[in-house]
Amino acid sequence: MAKEKLKEQARVWLLPVEKVLPSPFQARAVFDELELKKLAISILQNGLLQPISVRPTVDGRYQLIAGERRLRACKLAGMQSIPAIIYHFEDEKTAALSLLENLQREQLNPFEQAKALRDLVNLWNCTQETAAKKLGIAQPTLANKLRLLMLTQEQQEICIAANLTERHARAVLRLPSSEQRTKALRAAAEHTYNVQQTEAMVERLLNQKPKQKRTIMVRDVRIFVNTIDRAVKLMTGNGIPATAEKREQPDYIEYVVRIPTAHCVENKEALSGKP
């Protein structure tokens, strides 16, 4: 049985296109229609130069392991059959090969790449350090790519639509709130900021002091406050040494008015020698 499988893997089979199912482990979410059309024309003119990879399913069909773009282009070209190599892999091996093929062969956007890397780490059930060694990249590089998934779906879509790079995305991750990140990405997209300009904008936002809340008095309250001020001025103008201290708080105004009694006023006048 094992020898038969090896022989099968050594051959290129022509499989009916409609019997090939897409891979459930496909990392790419967006396919460039123009590029697919170009590939379809090339296949019609030159044939498919590299077979797709598949594995058989229990219902007599085949599940794609690698070659999603090639399969889509062949369907677009109206081909009835497609060259394929048949492998007999378990789910884990199939998923790993599918994700690795995406990472190595296709131009994934930064977020698709980050999701593929996250899926591989989860699939291998290992630390980032071990996964980085398997992938042949530095652990900080892997960590930085995975950090991109901290951005929301909306923020990721802003980056993709405006062709903002991975470094643009990492720059706004320094901002503490999701609202700030969204605003910064929209500003970078609108003004077509390069990475350095985006980093400078983020630095300005981080160093920006919070605005002081202004206390806004409603009309009736302002009238009462003015009345108190006029009353105190009236007393002091008539020789009564009244004082007033006003302290404005975010949710109230505090007044402390001190009006000397007649006895205190008389004593002060006596001490001063006034008749």
Side-chain angles (χ1 to χ4, degrees):
M1 185 68 176
K3 286 183 179 180
E4 289 177 6
K5 287 182 179 180
L6 287 173
K7 283 181 182 178
E8 192 174 49
Q9 290 175 191
R11 290 179 55 187
V12 175
W13 300 78
L14 273 178
L15 302 179
V17 169
E18 72 273 7
K19 283 196 172 185
V20 181
L21 306 172
S23 169
F25 311 108
Q26 173 59 248
R28 180 178 285 277
V30 179
F31 290 84
D32 189 314
E33 290 299 322
L34 181 59
E35 290 301 316
L36 283 177
K37 287 177 182 176
K38 287 180 182 178
L39 182 56
I41 292 169
S42 174
I43 290 170
L44 284 172
Q45 292 175 343
N46 308 300
L48 184 62
L49 302 180
Q50 183 177 9
I52 61 171
S53 302
V54 298
R55 67 171 180 168
T57 60
V58 292
D59 61 358
R61 293 186 291 178
Y62 300 89
Q63 187 183 86
L64 192 68
I65 296 173
E68 179 86 15
R69 287 178 69 252
R70 281 165 278 162
L71 177 62
R72 286 176 179 242
C74 285
K75 287 180 178 179
L76 196 60
M79 293 176 60
Q80 300 301 309
S81 58
I82 185 168
I85 298 174
I86 300 173
Y87 293 94
H88 294 267
F89 293 144
E90 299 300 324
D91 283 356
E92 184 175 334
K93 180 76 171 176
T94 301
L97 286 174
S98 180
L99 293 167
L100 285 168
E101 199 249 1
N102 275 313
L103 287 170
Q104 293 169 2
R105 296 184 58 84
E106 297 188 29
Q107 296 298 312
L108 301 178
N109 69 50
F111 306 104
E112 289 172 335
Q113 188 180 62
K115 287 170 187 172
L117 289 168
R118 179 198 60 195
D119 291 345
L120 276 172
V121 173
N122 292 337
L123 183 68
W124 289 333
N125 192 25
C126 64
T127 63
Q128 286 187 18
E129 186 177 1
T130 302
K133 286 179 181 176
K134 285 187 175 186
L135 292 164
I137 59 177
Q139 192 273 330
T141 301
L142 175 60
N144 278 333
K145 289 183 181 295
L146 293 176
R147 283 182 66 237
L148 296 178
L149 299 179
M150 293 170 63
L151 293 179
T152 65
Q153 186 62 37
E154 179 190 5
Q155 291 159 359
Q156 292 177 27
E157 287 170 2
I158 293 171
C159 290
I160 294 166
N163 290 321
L164 298 180
T165 67
E166 180 179 333
R167 289 180 61 195
H168 283 91
R170 285 213 309 271
V172 303
L173 281 172
R174 295 177 60 203
L175 295 169
S177 75
S178 182
E179 183 182 1
Q180 286 177 305
R181 292 171 186 175
T182 301
K183 286 181 179 178
L185 286 170
R186 282 178 177 159
E190 182 181 347
H191 300 292
T192 60
Y193 285 160
N194 60 30
V195 174
Q196 288 74 23
Q197 289 170 320
T198 302
E199 288 173 342
M201 173 184 61
V202 169
E203 196 66 36
R204 288 194 301 271
L205 290 171
L206 289 171
N207 294 326
Q208 203 172 60
K209 292 182 179 178
K211 291 182 180 179
Q212 294 288 335
K213 275 189 175 181
R214 291 181 60 194
T215 303
I216 301 173
M217 288 187 284
V218 297
R219 182 174 177 276
D220 290 344
V221 173
R222 191 163 57 247
I223 291 171
F224 291 134
V225 168
N226 291 338
T227 300
I228 294 170
D229 288 339
R230 284 198 300 270
V232 173
K233 285 180 182 177
L234 185 62
M235 284 186 284
T236 56
N238 285 279
I240 299 172
T243 60
E245 292 179 16
K246 183 174 79 170
R247 288 190 285 270
E248 292 191 18
Q249 304 297 334
D251 51 353
Y252 65 89
I253 299 170
E254 182 180 21
Y255 255 101
V256 178
V257 180
R258 292 185 177 87
I259 305 172
T261 62
H263 174 69
C264 292
V265 174
E266 288 169 1
N267 285 344
K268 287 183 85 175
E269 288 176 347
L271 288 170
S272 64
K274 291 183 180 180

